[in-house]
Amino acid sequence: MCRLLGYATAGDDLSLNDILGVKNVEDFRDLSEIHNDGWGVAQLATPAAAPYVRDGGAPSPETGVKIYKSTVAARFDTTFEALANEPARGAIWHLRLASSNLPLIMENQHPFYANGLSFVHNGDISDANGRNIVTNRSYPVDHSVLLSTGGRSDSAIFFAVILEYIGFGFPLDEAVAQAVRELRQAYPKSSYNCIIQSEDQMVALCAAGREKTSPRIVEIYDEYGRGHQAADYRVMRYRALTDADGKQAGVVVSSSGYDQDGWNELENDQMIVASNRNGTFRLRSI
C-alpha cells in the first residue's frame, strides 16, 4: 500500500524537481504523512569517471546506479531534499505503507535491486482471507532468486517472479506481464501496480485487482483528514516530457495523491514501456 513515481528521459540528467516542479515534489513527499513506513529511490546517472576504465577492480561503469532506502518517513528525512535535486536520466521513487503488518525492516524497503534492475510495487498480495503470500510456504518461487532480491515481503516475491521470467529469456515488459498472469492465478484480487527500471528501460504497470479503493484505505486516509485523496488510490497517470523545442524527451508516471492536471490515466492492465536512452515510450496491455 504505497505511492510510486518514476521517470525516463531522452538521456538527459534531470532532477525530480526539474520533472515535477518544486511544489508537486513537496506534495508528493507530504503523502508520507500517511505512507510513513519509509521511502526509497533508485537513480540512473552518468558517472564522473570515464566508462570501461580498468583501475585494478572491475571496469568503471557506463551507467551508475544510486540507491537510497530508509525506514524513516520521507517528510522527516532531509536526504529526500538532496536527492530530489540530484540529476538522473531515469529514477523510480517509493513511499511505503507496509502491507499486512509486514515488518518495518530495511530488507523490505523499496526499491529492491537485483541483476541490474530496480523495482517498486504498490499492493498487498493476499488471498480472500487476508493471508499474505509470504505465509504461503508452498508458493512455487525459486528461493535462490528470492534471496537475490534481499527482501522478505510480498513485493520481493513479485520481483523474484519477474526475475524468473527474465531468466527464461522474456524481455523486461513481457516478464512483468507474465509474472502478473502467474500470480493472479492464486491472488486474483491483489494489486500489481509497479515500476521496474533497467539501465535502458523503465516499465510502469497499472494492474489493480480491485479498481475501487478498499474500505481500509479510505479509513486510513480519513484518519488523517485526507479521505478525498483515497478515491483514486489505485490510479496511475503519466505525462510526456518535452524539451525546449517541444520535442518528446521522455515520460513521467506516478500514483495519484497530488496535482496531476493535464496528465493521462493509465488504463487498468496497461503499461508504459519507456527508454531512458532516447525518451521514446509506448503503451501496451498485459
Side-chain angles (χ1 to χ4, degrees):
M1 298 188 291
C2 309
R3 293 291 190 177
L4 315 178
L5 191 156
Y7 65 87
T9 76
D12 300 314
D13 288 338
L14 299 172
S15 71
L16 186 61
N17 284 327
D18 294 329
I19 297 292
L20 291 186
V22 173
K23 175 62 167 61
N24 277 343
V25 171
E26 290 175 350
D27 289 345
F28 174 74
R29 181 186 187 187
D30 189 53
L31 290 169
S32 66
E33 178 185 20
I34 300 171
H35 299 265
N36 54 24
D37 291 327
W39 72 282
V41 59
Q43 299 169 306
L44 304 177
T46 302
Y52 315 122
V53 174
R54 294 187 176 275
D55 55 1
S60 55
E62 182 268 339
T63 296
V65 181
K66 302 177 183 179
I67 296 178
Y68 179 86
K69 300 193 282 188
S70 173
T71 58
V72 176
R75 64 202 290 254
F76 297 128
D77 191 340
T78 56
T79 304
F80 186 100
E81 300 166 19
L83 294 180
N85 276 317
E86 187 78 20
R89 75 161 186 264
I92 59 176
W93 297 71
H94 185 269
L95 305 177
R96 185 180 183 216
L97 181 62
S99 59
S100 297
N101 299 309
L102 295 177
L104 187 60
I105 55 176
M106 192 62 76
E107 295 97 310
N108 288 341
Q109 296 303 117
H110 304 223
F112 296 99
Y113 183 82
N115 296 355
L117 300 169
S118 44
F119 174 77
V120 294
H121 169 226
N122 171 24
D124 183 333
I125 306 178
S126 298
D127 64 19
N129 296 310
R131 292 185 293 257
N132 193 275
I133 192 174
V134 298
T135 67
N136 185 354
R137 302 301 181 190
S138 64
Y139 192 82
V141 61
D142 186 320
H143 286 277
S144 65
V145 178
L146 178 58
L147 284 172
S148 75
T149 71
R152 302 186 224 165
S153 67
D154 49 357
S155 299
I157 293 173
F158 182 13
F159 185 28
V161 177
I162 294 171
L163 291 172
E164 285 186 291
Y165 279 101
I166 291 171
F168 297 151
F170 288 95
L172 185 58
D173 59 320
E174 185 57 24
V176 173
Q178 291 284 350
V180 173
R181 293 180 193 125
E182 177 188 317
L183 286 160
R184 275 182 169 167
Q185 293 179 35
Y187 301 94
K189 296 298 184 181
S190 295
S191 173
Y192 300 98
N193 289 8
C194 66
I195 309 177
I196 189 167
Q197 175 181 256
S198 72
E199 293 184 6
D200 301 303
Q201 283 187 310
M202 179 189 74
V203 174
L205 171 67
C206 179
R210 298 180 180 89
E211 294 185 55
K212 184 177 180 180
T213 306
S214 71
R216 178 55 183 151
I217 294 295
V218 174
E219 180 183 314
I220 291 171
Y221 270 68
D222 278 340
E223 289 174 1
Y224 290 89
R226 301 172 70 159
H228 62 286
Q229 291 180 301
D232 60 352
Y233 177 75
R234 296 295 185 195
V235 170
M236 292 180 70
R237 299 185 177 91
Y238 68 96
R239 175 174 58 83
L241 305 176
T242 55
D243 61 19
D245 298 321
K247 296 180 180 178
Q248 184 174 306
V251 66
V252 56
V253 61
S254 177
S255 304
S256 59
Y258 59 98
D259 182 26
Q260 294 168 341
D261 186 43
W263 292 43
N264 302 293
E265 187 171 321
L266 270 180
E267 297 178 7
N268 202 33
D269 290 343
Q270 188 177 55
M271 66 170 66
I272 289 175
V273 184
S275 167
N276 58 49
R277 299 286 186 176
N278 58 31
T280 60
F281 68 92
R282 61 184 172 89
L283 301 178
R284 59 156 289 190
S285 298
I286 63 170

